[in-house]
Amino acid sequence: MIKSDSITKVAAALLKAQSVMTAALKDSKNPFFKSSYADLNSVLDASRPALNENGISVVQSTSSRVNEQGVRVQVLETILLHESGEFIGSETDIVVKPNGNAQDYGSAISYARRYGLQALVALKGEDDDANRA
């Protein structure tokens, strides 16, 4: 976990935000697996208003690091910045298929952004169709 020396204010604000966060709607379809999933916009829509109301902004950026095997890997950093200056965050590997093109890399970044944020704020997904039935 990436964090500032103190996280007492950001932790308290995150607790308040999580208490009012809605679930991310699984309103996108994956034709390959015949399943539904919450896309990046659904995750942002479900989390960002509650975070912002509690003084937390979300920053996501890419960087690279050398892993334990000595291989340079691309990572996405998801950071929750609190108005006090405190922050917490995490890294998510950006996995692109071998010989991937720019489209593959963009898809991998979107995937990492979605799962990085969803995991960091402990956001649940909700199957909209199943819950309406």
Side-chain angles (χ1 to χ4, degrees):
M1 177 185 277
I2 303 162
K3 62 183 183 70
S4 53
D5 291 336
S6 171
I7 61 167
T8 48
K9 292 178 180 149
V10 69
L14 182 57
L15 173 65
K16 288 178 184 175
Q18 286 177 331
S19 72
V20 296
M21 269 184 211
T22 61
L25 292 180
K26 294 182 180 181
D27 54 3
S28 294
K29 304 289 182 197
N30 182 330
F32 183 75
F33 290 108
K34 295 180 175 58
S35 61
S36 297
Y37 67 96
D39 67 8
L40 177 58
N41 287 332
S42 292
V43 172
L44 289 168
D45 289 346
S47 61
R48 199 164 36 188
L51 292 169
N52 292 166
E53 287 173 18
N54 286 281
I56 300 172
S57 61
V58 177
V59 176
Q60 293 184 301
S61 64
T62 59
S63 64
S64 64
R65 62 172 163 75
V66 176
N67 68 12
E68 298 80 26
Q69 293 78 31
V71 176
R72 181 161 299 281
V73 295
Q74 296 295 313
V75 295
L76 176 92
E77 294 178 334
T78 301
I79 308 289
L80 302 181
L81 297 171
H82 188 255
E83 61 192 5
S84 68
E86 294 180 354
F87 61 90
I88 59 172
S90 64
E91 290 183 339
T92 305
D93 288 351
I94 299 172
V95 181
V96 182
K97 64 183 177 182
N99 301 317
N101 59 26
Q103 176 75 31
D104 296 327
Y105 188 67
S107 294
I109 290 173
S110 292
Y111 188 89
R113 288 185 65 201
R114 177 168 42 111
Y115 280 103
L117 179 57
Q118 195 167 4
L120 189 57
V121 300
L123 187 68
K124 64 182 179 178
E126 180 175 281
D127 186 344
D128 194 33
D129 292 335
N131 287 326
R132 284 185 188 171

